[in-house]
Amino acid sequence: MKKILVVGANGQLGNCIRKIAPDFELDYEFIFTDSQTLDITNEDQIKNFFSENKPEFCINASAYTAVDLAEKEKEKAFAVNAEGVANLAQACADFKTILIHVSTDYVFDGETNLCYSEDDFTNPIGVYGESKLKGEEQALEINPNTVILRTSWLYSEFNKNFVKTMLNLFSQKEELGIVADQFGQPTNANDLAEAIMDIIETSQKTFGIFHFSNYPETTWFEFAEKIAEFSKSSVKLNQLTTEQYPTPAKRPKRSTMCLDKIEEIYKIEPKHWENSLEECVNILHNNIL
């Protein structure tokens, strides 16, 4: 059986992969690690781990994702999102392992009215985006057998995310202000997990950068509106501008990504974000009850 190493197994994506792993247990052996069992910033530890386990695939679901805190913790962000990725990529190159690395729409500055293709100019406007872009560059330079999946606005029933934060606030507040002038694509991490397994399962391997998210674009305000609708919340939502809700890190105004390439090459058809959101809210609602 082929081995799949999942790095960052306790994060949102890692947990979603763990959830569907039993569906693939006849063909693949999954090795799930967290920062305690495999520290990707420790080059020697990674070398030893790969030497012992020799995985055919490595899914890097680990990341420093504290967008605002990254402005203060630049070294930490780059240690995980750039140097750690370089360490993984080198081990993958040494052991002929295919690396599937998850990146972000924040590699773009958001100053466009169009969707971004994989070949468009990158220009991150914050430390988080800079560190993720550096990780992309390192991965592709060190290990040509790398698939980079840029995704956006990730949420799930696991860990901390916008959907769970909203549901929590809806139960506490009667009124909330939500930013309505930033555009992007909410993505259910369960859909991303399935897309990754689709890529692993196909016999044809095309390496490089791909965009994957749910579609079409929306705003944080419209996203929150749908969360309220699906959870049957009576909270009143008010539209805010980015200027009315300042944050330590700047966010791209429109980081919408084109999804044609992954559909064309890997035959992966992304789902409508509202459908995927409703599934997630139902899961969370049932768990709460």
Side-chain angles (χ1 to χ4, degrees):
M1 287 204 305
K2 293 182 177 179
K3 292 181 182 178
I4 299 175
L5 169 62
V6 182
V7 181
N10 290 339
Q12 284 197 83
L13 177 58
N15 274 307
C16 290
I17 295 170
R18 198 191 294 271
K19 190 170 86 171
I20 62 173
D23 298 338
F24 301 92
E25 63 185 7
L26 293 178
D27 299 310
Y28 301 99
E29 177 188 343
F30 288 81
I31 305 167
F32 293 98
T33 67
D34 57 18
S35 57
Q36 303 302 312
T37 52
L38 183 61
D39 178 4
I40 66 170
T41 64
N42 186 323
E43 191 175 355
D44 289 335
Q45 193 181 122
I46 289 178
K47 282 180 182 177
N48 292 336
F49 193 92
F50 270 71
S51 179
E52 190 176 319
N53 292 281
K54 298 180 175 62
E56 277 80 9
F57 298 92
C58 172
I59 302 170
N60 183 25
S62 68
Y64 179 106
T65 57
V67 176
D68 289 321
L69 198 57
E71 298 298 310
K72 287 183 178 178
E73 297 185 346
K74 185 172 182 175
E75 282 188 15
K76 278 189 181 179
F78 270 82
V80 176
N81 293 345
E83 290 143 39
V85 176
N87 291 339
L88 276 178
Q90 187 60 63
C92 286
D94 292 344
F95 289 90
K96 296 180 172 55
T97 302
I98 292 173
L99 173 61
I100 299 175
H101 172 62
V102 179
S103 191
T104 174
D105 57 325
Y106 277 38
V107 298
F108 299 112
D109 60 21
E111 298 297 321
T112 182
N113 291 321
L114 306 171
C115 67
Y116 286 103
S117 77
E118 288 81 353
D119 298 323
D120 279 338
F121 181 68
T122 51
N123 185 35
I125 55 176
V127 170
Y128 168 68
E130 289 172 9
S131 66
K132 292 295 287 184
L133 179 59
K134 187 65 176 177
E136 287 186 11
E137 292 168 348
Q138 298 266 52
L140 290 170
E141 182 182 333
I142 295 168
N143 181 33
N145 292 346
T146 294
V147 175
I148 289 173
L149 291 173
R150 290 180 183 148
T151 192
S152 57
W153 297 19
L154 211 61
Y155 69 89
S156 67
E157 64 268 36
F158 303 107
N159 301 47
K160 185 181 176 183
N161 57 69
F162 184 77
V163 174
K164 292 178 76 173
T165 298
M166 287 298 106
L167 289 172
N168 187 42
L169 288 172
F170 293 169
S171 67
Q172 299 174 20
K173 308 278 187 181
E174 293 182 358
E175 196 169 344
L176 283 173
I178 308 291
V179 172
D181 59 356
Q182 294 174 17
F183 294 81
Q185 293 140 302
T187 307
N188 190 323
N190 288 285
D191 295 337
L192 178 58
E194 289 176 9
I196 288 172
M197 289 310 301
D198 285 345
I199 288 170
I200 286 175
E201 286 229 282
T202 184
S203 57
Q204 174 259 327
K205 292 286 180 288
T206 301
F207 302 109
I209 299 171
F210 293 84
H211 290 167
F212 178 84
S213 69
N214 294 136
Y215 78 94
E217 73 171 15
T218 188
T219 65
W220 290 110
F221 177 77
E222 291 169 346
F223 191 13
E225 273 192 320
K226 281 296 172 184
I227 298 168
E229 178 187 324
F230 293 144
S231 63
K232 297 178 173 57
S233 171
S234 58
V235 67
K236 183 186 178 189
L237 298 176
N238 301 311
Q239 297 189 34
L240 298 179
T241 64
T242 298
E243 287 69 29
Q244 289 174 303
Y245 190 77
T247 53
K250 286 178 68 179
R251 265 70 170 171
K253 279 292 185 78
R254 175 176 261 111
S255 57
T256 308
M257 299 183 297
C258 305
L259 307 174
D260 300 347
K261 185 178 175 183
I262 200 163
E263 288 190 60
E264 181 185 338
I265 292 178
Y266 279 111
K267 312 303 179 193
I268 294 170
E269 295 185 15
K271 297 178 184 176
H272 196 292
W273 70 265
E274 291 183 19
N275 297 335
S276 284
L277 173 62
E278 187 170 16
E279 291 173 10
C280 182
V281 171
N282 287 339
I283 289 170
L284 288 167
H285 188 62
N286 290 334
N287 285 347
I288 291 166
L289 294 177

